[in-house]
Amino acid sequence: MSKNLINSVQNAVSETLSGLCYSYPQLEYQTLHKVVLSPDCRNQRNKVVLVCGGGSGHEPFAAGFVGSGMLTASIAGSIFAAPPSTHITHALQCVAKNNKADVLVVVPNYTGDCLNFGIAIEKARQTGIKVEEIIVGDDCSIPKHEQGVAGKRGLVGMLFVIKIAGALAERGSSLHEVTEIARHVSQNTATYGVGLTACAIPGQGLMFELAQDEVECGMGVHGEAGYERIKLGTASELVSLMLERICKTLALVANDSVAVIVNNFGGLSQLEQGIVVREVVNQLQNMNIDATRVYSGVLMTSLNSAGVHVSLLKLTESHKEVFIKYLDDKTTAPCWPGCNYSVPSTITRTPTKDVEKEITEKIGISLNIREQHLTKLCLESVCAVIIEKEVYLNELDRGCGDGDCGSTLKRLADGILNNLSELPLSHPAALLSGIANIAEANMGGTSGALYCLFFTSGAKELALCEQGEDLRHAWFRAFRSGLNCLEKYGKAKVGDRTMIDTMDAVYTMYGKILNEHVNDFYDKIAAAAWKGCDSTKNMKPKAGRASYVKQARYLTEVDAGAYAAATWISTIIHTITHYKD
């Protein structure tokens, strides 16, 4: 059984439509027939009205596209089931009242929808309502010779039909003109879907099983399996497959133009959605096909399935300008993804020059060749260990953090290694400033800010040191300054379960033995680092994102930040103590 946030399966559709109309209270929801009407549905008079609908589970389709310039009414069926003909008839009667310009019904090409909409349309005609219909089937995943009598499925490309026909109707065109343009749009639209997971109908389990390394190609929106199953590839590879099928269907060639819809099945993250959009546009550009308009969003879903539909509308030479004009026309439909920013800017932008790398002034104490070589070895060793520990640090950070401590620190390590030849190893102050800049630019988030502060403050202290000063004292002052800066801006103290627990333990031991000249000087500092790290185990967090976690089961391991600090400190010490000229 799937986990669902519902009250009851029986009332789920009605309640979600109520929720939509609470969010957009100018929409009118007629509960008994599950019909949503636009605010001006009774005042259209001389404008053609558009009606569409289908099964639920595809939200926001079709109710979310009710508004001037798109649909005047939508009808919702049960989950993945066509609406009853009586409900469609009710919607047609509502929009036909006081209307002289007639009705265009947009029907998704599924047997249940065709039958029930067909019944309602015939009954409406018997009562004198002038109705035209267009059945939209834009799915191109199944080869023509393998299609059954039902034909192509109606998918998210239907929105191109509704938007362009709706804009034309809003401008006052006749039913014949609106219907003809709708047919032309439908004939030049193709859609292909790829699913990463199956969906689960509320109260039931997954509709089919799909291995972790597999994807369903050619998925529709009713939870059914796709046309074929292949191994999971990169976003680039899957988009290439989809575009190959779509371009072949529409006979797209170089110098053609298209409008694009990238539709989220409902469960795909917005991070992945953006990557798919980028891939679609870039690959079209590589084929010398212009993506003139691009729309993206959760538009026609398959409940909680993770996947995408890519839909292209070929902007034919004869209709290109009008298609673009009608796509750009304003609509009050709340879920249409287009807006002013969907139209490319006409402003000529001056290309931005690459920002030159900051040149850090070489001030403060300088190091001899041997010391520079050791410093370089320390940096290489630390970076190697941090990269090696990425997965483990992420695991420590999962549950009480956001699971990216290792990945964030790896970005710092990669940045240091990539810039190692340019870092000023001869001057510690300049070196720490350079590392601070890398942390700031590469890491991001809390860790990036903390490490940038630590190294920046340490660099400032080292810049004040005079040549000939004992290096142990200089590095102690730098460490103390960095730690004070972390406590000032990060607000964490010892005992708050953060990297401060490790850093403070090191600082305390460092200061205690600084003037004692003990033989095990470095060993004691390394031991202090791990002792401070181990103290965070089972400690109640009071700072950072972990402070919001109250479940003890997530707090049984050491803090990820504390472990990372102990790791790089002990690695530096190991490199120093094992260094041979």
Side-chain angles (χ1 to χ4, degrees):
M1 296 286 284
S2 61
K3 282 195 285 190
N4 302 113
L5 201 60
I6 62 172
N7 294 314
S8 72
V9 174
Q10 291 74 20
N11 297 329
V13 173
S14 183
E15 289 180 5
T16 195
L17 288 172
S18 293
L20 176 76
C21 295
Y22 285 154
S23 300
Y24 306 104
Q26 291 191 39
L27 294 175
E28 179 183 339
Y29 176 41
Q30 302 208 343
T31 311
L32 187 61
H33 297 93
K34 297 183 178 63
V35 168
V36 175
L37 300 170
S38 66
D40 57 357
C41 69
R42 295 175 181 81
N43 301 308
Q44 291 284 7
R45 299 192 181 281
N46 298 317
K47 292 180 182 178
V48 171
V49 298
L50 268 67
V51 175
C52 186
S56 296
H58 311 307
E59 293 72 26
F61 185 84
F65 302 103
V66 172
S68 62
M70 291 192 78
L71 299 176
T72 302
S74 73
I75 314 97
S78 299
I79 294 175
F80 294 168
S85 60
T86 52
H87 293 185
I88 302 168
T89 296
H90 177 78
L92 292 175
Q93 290 172 342
C94 288
V95 300
K97 192 175 183 179
N98 302 323
N99 181 280
K100 306 293 183 184
D102 311 316
V103 183
L104 173 63
V105 179
V106 181
V107 184
N109 190 31
Y110 294 98
T111 302
D113 292 302
C114 291
L115 290 172
N116 283 284
F117 274 94
I119 293 169
I121 289 168
E122 292 303 319
K123 286 186 176 180
R125 286 170 177 162
Q126 287 178 359
T127 63
I129 301 173
K130 187 175 181 182
V131 184
E132 290 290 345
E133 67 176 317
I134 174 168
I135 299 173
V136 181
D138 52 307
D139 178 23
C140 69
S141 65
I142 302 174
K144 192 171 183 179
H145 68 277
E146 293 186 41
Q147 292 172 13
V149 294
K152 298 180 178 182
R153 295 173 291 191
L155 301 175
V156 72
M158 202 176 326
L159 292 183
F160 281 132
V161 175
I162 292 169
K163 179 63 181 71
I164 292 173
L168 191 60
E170 186 67 20
R171 288 169 175 261
S173 297
S174 67
L175 178 60
H176 175 73
E177 292 172 318
V178 174
T179 304
E180 284 303 303
I181 201 80
R183 289 204 173 99
H184 193 74
V185 173
S186 180
Q187 290 164 1
N188 285 280
T189 300
T191 303
Y192 194 96
V194 169
L196 278 66
T197 66
C199 72
I201 294 177
Q204 301 180 27
L206 292 174
M207 293 192 68
F208 60 87
E209 294 296 328
L210 188 61
Q212 281 293 104
D213 63 342
E214 293 180 329
V215 294
E216 280 300 296
C217 294
M219 278 183 67
V221 286
H222 293 98
E224 70 273 31
Y227 172 71
E228 59 183 339
R229 186 169 295 186
I230 65 172
K231 292 296 182 182
L232 174 64
T234 63
S236 177
E237 291 166 343
L238 293 177
V239 167
S240 178
L241 181 151
M242 289 191 277
L243 289 181
E244 180 184 353
R245 306 288 176 87
I246 295 171
C247 290
K248 183 177 180 180
T249 300
L250 296 178
L252 291 171
V253 295
N255 299 316
D256 278 343
S257 299
V258 295
V260 179
I261 289 177
V262 177
N263 170 56
N264 191 321
F265 280 12
L268 194 73
S269 73
Q270 292 302 300
L271 180 78
E272 295 161 283
Q273 174 102 0
I275 292 169
V276 172
V277 172
R278 173 188 176 276
E279 278 298 330
V280 170
V281 174
N282 285 352
Q283 291 191 29
L284 287 171
Q285 288 175 343
N286 291 338
M287 291 185 276
N288 203 22
I289 296 172
D290 179 43
T292 307
R293 294 291 184 272
V294 180
Y295 308 101
S296 172
V298 181
L299 307 172
M300 181 185 284
T301 67
S302 181
L303 291 171
N304 60 343
S305 177
V308 288
H309 284 122
V310 172
S311 184
L312 300 188
L313 165 62
K314 183 177 183 179
L315 302 175
T316 58
E317 199 63 40
S318 58
H319 288 79
K320 179 178 179 179
E321 297 304 319
V322 295
F323 278 4
I324 293 172
K325 180 169 62 176
Y326 298 150
L327 285 171
D328 291 346
D329 273 3
K330 294 187 183 304
T331 175
T332 60
C335 296
W336 172 246
C339 64
N340 288 342
Y341 280 11
S342 302
V343 181
S345 174
T346 56
I347 299 172
T348 302
R349 295 186 176 95
T350 304
T352 304
K353 293 181 180 180
D354 290 334
V355 179
E356 296 182 3
K357 292 184 178 179
E358 293 186 44
I359 300 175
T360 307
E361 186 180 359
K362 295 180 179 180
I363 57 176
I365 57 176
S366 62
L367 303 180
N368 60 36
I369 297 300
R370 178 186 180 280
E371 291 164 341
Q372 290 179 48
H373 186 246
L374 176 56
T375 300
K376 183 179 180 182
L377 282 179
C378 286
L379 289 173
E380 289 173 336
S381 299
V382 166
C383 290
V385 170
I386 289 299
I387 291 170
E388 179 190 338
K389 296 283 187 180
E390 178 192 7
V391 174
Y392 181 65
L393 286 167
N394 283 344
E395 284 298 323
L396 286 178
D397 195 37
R398 194 164 284 117
C400 58
D402 50 8
D404 69 345
C405 179
S407 300
T408 303
L409 283 166
K410 181 180 180 294
R411 290 198 291 271
L412 173 59
D414 287 336
I416 291 172
L417 292 176
N418 292 336
N419 292 276
L420 194 55
S421 61
E422 298 174 22
L423 287 172
L425 300 174
S426 61
H427 288 74
L431 174 61
L432 291 197
S433 289
I435 295 174
N437 291 337
I438 294 171
E440 183 178 19
N442 291 25
M443 293 179 73
T446 302
S447 295
L450 289 173
Y451 274 98
C452 178
L453 286 168
F454 179 75
F455 290 123
T456 297
S457 184
K460 182 180 178 182
E461 191 64 35
L462 286 173
L464 300 175
C465 295
E466 297 181 0
Q467 192 66 29
E469 183 174 341
D470 183 82
L471 283 177
R472 286 189 181 181
H473 285 79
W475 284 113
F476 174 73
R477 286 166 53 190
F479 194 93
R480 179 183 62 194
S481 178
L483 178 58
N484 289 341
C485 194
L486 290 183
E487 291 178 331
K488 176 183 177 182
Y489 289 102
K491 298 183 174 62
K493 304 293 182 185
V494 175
D496 288 348
R497 198 178 192 272
T498 69
M499 64 190 290
I500 297 296
D501 292 292
T502 295
M503 308 285 268
D504 186 80
V506 169
Y507 162 69
T508 302
M509 179 58 71
Y510 200 155
K512 180 180 178 181
I513 63 176
L514 182 58
N515 296 311
E516 294 182 2
H517 303 289
V518 294
N519 293 329
D520 56 351
F521 176 84
Y522 290 110
D523 291 338
K524 285 187 174 181
I525 292 178
W530 287 114
K531 185 177 180 181
C533 171
D534 290 340
S535 72
T536 63
K537 191 179 291 186
N538 297 309
M539 189 182 286
K540 183 179 179 181
K542 298 177 184 176
R545 186 176 281 106
S547 64
Y548 303 113
V549 178
K550 306 304 179 185
Q551 298 181 57
R553 63 194 176 99
Y554 293 121
L555 307 172
T556 57
E557 297 290 340
V558 296
D559 176 69
Y563 183 89
T567 298
W568 65 257
I569 290 170
S570 60
T571 301
I572 289 174
I573 288 172
H574 182 271
T575 306
I576 292 172
T577 55
H578 289 74
Y579 177 66
K580 295 179 181 179
D581 291 326

